Amino acid sequence: MTTILELSGLHTYYGHIHALKGIDVRVDEGEIVTLVGSNGAGKSTTLRTISGIAKARFGKITLNGRDITGLRPHEIAGLGIGHVPEGRRIFPLLSVRENLEIGAWNVRDRGLIASRMEEMFVLFPRLKERIFQKGGTLSGGEQQMLAMARALMADPKILLLDEPSMGLAPVLVEGIFDIVKRINERGTTILLVEQNALMALEVARRGYVLQTGQVVLSDAAHALMNNDMVRKVYLGEN
């Protein structure tokens, strides 16, 4: 199986705070891989380092075998990494259509942009109903859909998905994860960060458990779900 993304000995600092302490992560083509861990474990920092928002001090990041460590965020995005950040970060004063058009920043062909937008409306029918509505007036679930659709407009090789269920009512969480599975089934590889470890492991193929910036466990998702430590610490079982 072809490896799309690989992190080797990655160290990231925020000032004097050592946030990532030499982590190794691999994501193969077609997979959903999830990072599991408590708040402050380094999950979001891992995604931010991959996309160039945070800078790795040591270690290496490769995309399809190419070293992308140290590249700027727009260069990394241009190579095929889409990032849906924690908190969605849509443009609240722009319409759904305008947010999606910005997502296709690397596409000059207006016909291709229109075609991809129609694909997004098939995947997210609610967005088509809200096409002229300002992003800031959408519900939390609709904003999450918009953030995901905006990232997919650039047709990324791999999607970094950070806390897609955060702040959503429980009734909406299952629907968001159904969409995550559909995105993967249409050919997009996904690296998923999600506080709801059970939902994340149910959709993922493999997982890595992070504690204080280090990978302490990695295995197939179904094996992690049956691991005593994972069940007790992250799945809330006694």
Side-chain angles (χ1 to χ4, degrees), residues 27 33 45 70-71 102 109 117 124 128 157 160 179 192 204 228:
V27 184
V33 172
T45 298
L71 294 183
I102 287 174
D109 184 337
M117 196 174 295
F124 305 96
K128 187 168 187 177
K157 296 181 177 71
L160 312 180
I179 293 171
L192 170 67
D228 288 341

Side-chain angles (χ1 to χ4, degrees), residues 76-98:
I76 292 170
L79 291 172
I81 294 183
H83 189 176
V84 182
E86 180 182 347
R88 299 154 198 146
R89 307 287 178 86
I90 62 163
F91 297 101
L93 299 181
L94 299 183
S95 69
V96 167
R97 175 186 286 278
E98 290 166 334

